[in-house]
């Protein structure tokens, strides 16, 4: 991308990595002024690591259980992120809570994507198909995608963007997940692009997006 300064992004992901791939593809096409410096997972061999390795991106398996003390875990993560001069963290299907010292260090620089309209159908235990099953069982007619800054709690923090997806009668969690995912793959690269271009800012706890 010529002489443009590339934002250094660390990606945290637990599984498949399709949202990471959607962002990576746009980085590779120079549509996002960023570089993915590493992919970190709480799992040893998640499919997302294959995507990273195919693209020569370093991978790290880091799990709270590998450490006896929570402080050591947080310190290790902070040092690891620092070793890559990480400027932004992207949670792309990451199922664990980000330790508080990291949230503090990377204030307004950690972004998460959630496959529902928060604050509904979010929080601990709401991930993957469980979210879509709960949406269908509740009888709501509208769900969607939320992209937000991360704070110390699951699926909270200031909302950057939300987009609606209709819940169609007779729908299954799998069909709903597929349509929501298509929106995620469009919206997440858009947000990362704007953030890396300095167009998304937090002022007094509110998100401003200069389009
Ligand atoms: C996505 O639905 C995302 O919103 C949620 O976890 C899922 C991850 O999917 N946080 P993938 O690993 O990006 O394919």
């Amino acid at each position: 991308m010529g002489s443009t300064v590339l934002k250094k992004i660390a990606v945290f992901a637990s599984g498949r990595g399709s949202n990471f791939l959607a962002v990576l593809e746009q980085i590779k096409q120079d549509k996002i002024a960023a570089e993915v410096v590493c992919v970190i997972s709480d799992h040893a061999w998640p499919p997302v690591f294959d995507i990273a390795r195919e693209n020569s991106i370093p991978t790290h398996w880091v799990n709270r259980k590998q450490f006896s003390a929570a402080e050591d875990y947080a310190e290790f993560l902070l040092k690891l992120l620092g070793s890559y001069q990480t400027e932004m963290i992207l949670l792309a299907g990451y199922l664990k809570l980000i330790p508080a010292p990291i949230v503090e260090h990377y204030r307004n620089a950690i972004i998460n994507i959630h496959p529902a309209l928060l604050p509904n159908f979010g929080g601990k235990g709401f991930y993957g198909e469980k979210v879509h099953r709960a949406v269908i069982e509740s009888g709501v007619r509208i769900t969607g995608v939320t992209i937000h800054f991360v704070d110390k709690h699951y699926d909270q923090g200031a909302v950057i963007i939300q987009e609606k997806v209709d819940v169609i009668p007779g729908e299954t969690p799998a069909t709903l997940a597929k349509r929501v995912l298509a929106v995620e793959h469009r919206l997440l690269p858009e947000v990362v692009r704007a953030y890396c271009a300095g167009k998304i800012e937090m002022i007094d706890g509110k998100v401003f997006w200069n389009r």
Side-chain angles (χ1 to χ4, degrees):
M1 204 179 243
S3 59
T4 313
V5 180
L6 303 180
K7 185 79 90 185
K8 293 182 190 300
I9 303 178
V11 172
F12 281 64
S14 297
R16 184 174 52 184
S18 70
N19 277 288
F20 160 54
L21 184 60
V23 171
L24 186 64
E25 276 169 356
Q26 296 215 9
I27 289 175
K28 286 162 78 174
Q29 292 166 26
D30 288 346
K31 290 180 180 162
I32 300 176
E35 167 193 6
V36 177
V37 291
C38 65
V39 176
I40 296 171
S41 184
D42 52 319
H43 290 145
W45 300 102
V48 67
F49 276 2
D50 296 332
I51 301 172
R53 286 176 187 140
E54 278 159 24
N55 288 279
S56 308
I57 296 168
T59 58
H60 296 276
W61 173 35
V62 187
N63 193 301
R64 167 69 184 86
K65 292 187 183 125
Q66 296 161 341
F67 302 84
S68 45
E71 299 77 41
D72 297 343
Y73 166 56
E75 196 185 314
F76 180 87
L77 271 178
L78 263 182
K79 278 200 180 134
L80 182 62
L81 293 165
S83 73
Y84 288 104
Q85 284 108 42
T86 302
E87 297 167 284
M88 178 205 173
I89 296 173
L90 180 62
L91 308 186
Y94 187 63
L95 300 181
K96 295 286 190 293
L97 205 58
I98 295 294
I102 289 156
V103 175
E104 270 150 34
H105 190 91
Y106 289 96
R107 192 165 287 281
N108 304 331
I110 310 178
I111 288 176
N112 181 46
I113 181 160
H114 186 76
L117 294 178
L118 294 173
N120 297 320
F121 307 106
K124 197 168 169 33
F126 276 108
Y127 61 88
E129 277 209 3
K130 288 182 190 200
V131 176
H132 304 297
R133 181 165 295 114
V135 164
I136 291 168
E137 280 172 3
S138 77
V140 294
R141 305 300 295 269
I142 296 169
T143 183
V145 174
T146 303
I147 299 177
H148 63 98
F149 283 115
V150 169
D151 65 13
K152 290 176 199 163
H153 308 280
Y154 277 108
D155 297 330
Q156 295 184 21
V159 171
I160 299 169
I161 193 170
Q162 292 186 301
E163 189 171 307
K164 292 185 290 182
V165 173
D166 288 335
V167 181
I168 297 168
E171 178 130 75
T172 67
T175 60
L176 184 56
K178 197 172 167 196
R179 284 186 302 109
V180 169
L181 197 63
V183 175
E184 294 186 49
H185 291 168
R186 172 167 49 75
L187 232 46
L188 188 61
E190 210 179 289
V191 168
V192 176
R193 185 185 320 122
Y195 182 84
C196 292
K199 291 184 174 172
I200 296 177
E201 282 182 302
M202 278 279 276
I203 301 168
D204 294 336
K206 295 236 159 44
V207 175
F208 288 86
W209 186 337
N210 308 310
R211 286 170 193 261

